[in-house]
């Protein structure tokens, strides 16, 4: 059973993040879950900038990033654009999983066509969905 050093949840909805945290922790596949409320905060963390500057000792590169699409400040689409052109991230093996409640076919097709995205999943995450995902990584 594969274990992950760190998983990052990026979502502006605190209750959704908390729910996903509970589901992930119940599977006992990681001890480290990092949270960001939007794409900018996630990028700041990943680049060790912003409010995360004093946490360098605690920084663990996430192996998985679960990101929502619709968020204030910086949405998931903009995060993905910037993430894929940032050279610091090209060496990492981080897998990005897009989470959304959106069923707009054009958005789903755009996400599924993006080679930098590992998977598109509908919210909320369930144990079965996560088990399948984790077992196929």
């Amino acid at each position: 059973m594969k274990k992950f050093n760190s998983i990052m949840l990026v979502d502006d909805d605190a209750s959704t993040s908390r729910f996903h945290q509970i589901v992930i922790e119940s599977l006992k596949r990681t001890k480290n879950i990092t949270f960001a409320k939007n794409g900018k905060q996630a990028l700041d963390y990943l680049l060790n900038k912003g409010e995360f500057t004093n946490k360098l000792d605690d920084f663990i590169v996430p192996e998985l990033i679960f990101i929502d699409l619709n968020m204030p400040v910086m949405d998931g689409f903009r995060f993905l654009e910037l993430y894929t052109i940032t050279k610091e991230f090209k060496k990492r093996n981080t897998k990005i999983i897009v989470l959304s409640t959106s069923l707009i076919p054009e958005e789903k097709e755009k996400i599924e066509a993006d080679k930098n995205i590992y998977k598109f999943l509908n919210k909320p995450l369930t144990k079965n969905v996560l088990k399948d995902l984790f077992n196929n990584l």
Side-chain angles (χ1 to χ4, degrees), residues 46-48 59 61-62 83 88-94:
L46 295 168
L47 291 168
N48 293 307
F59 180 76
V61 175
Y83 186 90
E88 289 91 340
F89 303 142
K90 295 202 186 291
K91 300 174 197 164
R92 297 181 183 174
N93 290 327
T94 301

Side-chain angles (χ1 to χ4, degrees), residues 2-125:
K2 181 172 168 89
K3 300 239 180 193
F4 303 95
N5 290 331
S6 181
I7 293 174
M8 180 177 230
L9 298 173
V10 185
D11 197 318
D12 62 314
D13 184 341
S15 60
T16 298
S17 289
R18 177 69 177 128
F19 176 79
H20 289 159
Q21 175 188 11
I22 291 167
V23 174
I24 291 168
E25 287 177 345
S26 73
L27 296 174
K28 299 180 185 341
R29 299 282 188 107
T30 189
K31 291 182 181 177
N32 299 298
I33 299 176
T34 304
F35 302 90
K37 294 178 183 175
N38 57 63
K40 181 180 182 332
Q41 193 177 58
L43 285 175
D44 286 349
Y45 175 79
L46 295 168
L47 291 168
N48 293 307
K49 293 182 180 176
E51 72 181 76
F52 298 103
T53 302
N54 296 327
K55 296 185 180 181
L56 291 177
D57 293 337
D58 300 330
F59 180 76
I60 301 171
V61 175
E63 291 176 77
L64 300 174
I65 298 173
F66 291 90
I67 186 163
D68 185 26
L69 290 177
N70 299 308
M71 297 176 286
V73 182
M74 181 187 292
D75 66 18
F77 290 111
R78 184 67 178 145
F79 168 87
L80 292 165
E81 286 173 30
L82 295 174
Y83 186 90
T84 57
I85 62 169
T86 303
K87 63 182 172 184
E88 289 91 340
F89 303 142
K90 295 202 186 291
K91 300 174 197 164
R92 297 181 183 174
N93 290 327
T94 301
K95 303 254 188 288
I96 298 175
I97 297 97
V98 171
L99 298 176
S100 185
T101 55
S102 172
L103 296 176
I104 300 170
E106 295 82 17
E107 280 185 0
K108 188 172 180 180
E109 288 171 15
K110 180 180 176 182
I111 294 298
E112 289 176 340
D114 189 328
K115 293 178 176 76
N116 298 299
I117 298 168
Y118 181 75
K119 195 110 174 136
F120 176 92
L121 298 173
N122 287 311
K123 285 197 234 177
L125 291 173

